[in-house]
């Protein structure tokens, strides 16, 4: 059982997250403002040979990737990141703060995998929903999987976001 101390990006509240499941990432709600936070417990080499663990408030130091939407930054973790509209009934790991009724509560998946040699591969797959998803203006059909690159523009429903990817090594 591992614990991490993180800071809510929305209200600044510090909280301790316990990983009882052993999964590489845990999704929790901030007790003060309700914002969904993704805390990564996935070990990543920091370039000095040591092993460390990424926490949501610290993950920017390792610069894996993020979504920029409506002035908020949503940090992505290695593995599957289900993206959806923030809601109490949403099961999405990354919950986007939007009132857009055309963005599903579980809309799409962004998967980040580490390839041989340490390079990262990022793909977006359109979730099984009837609401539209676009990457750089191209509409995705149900089941489509497309690679994502730095600065790609993603539209889920009517909500626009930008995908930012950076290297893991500083």
């Amino acid at each position: 059982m591992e614990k991490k101390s993180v800071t809510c990006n929305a209200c600044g509240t510090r909280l301790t997250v316990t990983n009882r499941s052993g999964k590489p990432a845990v999704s929790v709600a901030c007790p003060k403002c309700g914002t969904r936070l993704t805390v990564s417990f996935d070990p990543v080499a920091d370039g000095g040979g040591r092993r460390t663990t990424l926490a949501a408030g610290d993950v920017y130091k390792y610069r894996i990737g993020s979504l920029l939407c409506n002035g908020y930054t949503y940090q992505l973790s290695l593995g599957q990141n289900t993206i959806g509209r923030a809601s109490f009934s949403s099961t999405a790991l990354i919950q986007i703060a939007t009132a857009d009724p055309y963005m599903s509560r579980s809309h799409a998946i962004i998967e980040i995998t580490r390839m041989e040699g340490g390079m990262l591969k990022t793909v977006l797959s359109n979730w099984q929903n009837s609401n539209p998803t676009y990457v750089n203006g191209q509409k995705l059909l149900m089941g489509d999987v497309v690679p994502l690159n730095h600065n790609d523009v993603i539209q889920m429903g009517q909500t626009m976001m930008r995908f930012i990817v950076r290297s893991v090594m500083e």
Side-chain angles (χ1 to χ4, degrees), residues 68-132:
L68 305 178
C69 180
N70 298 326
Y72 291 99
T73 301
Y74 299 90
Q75 185 61 49
L76 301 170
S77 301
L78 289 170
Q80 285 192 349
N81 298 269
T82 306
I83 315 298
R85 181 182 47 168
S87 166
F88 288 111
S89 61
S90 177
T91 59
L93 192 60
I94 307 296
Q95 296 192 17
I96 306 297
T98 181
D100 178 2
Y102 299 103
M103 183 176 187
S104 302
R105 290 173 294 209
S106 291
H107 196 101
I109 293 175
I110 295 177
E111 185 168 8
I112 303 173
T113 54
R114 188 181 316 278
M115 308 302 290
E116 247 181 76
M119 295 295 294
L120 297 177
K121 174 183 163 187
T122 305
V123 296
L124 180 139
S125 58
N126 195 24
W127 196 247
Q128 296 179 4
N129 66 66
S130 58
N131 294 323

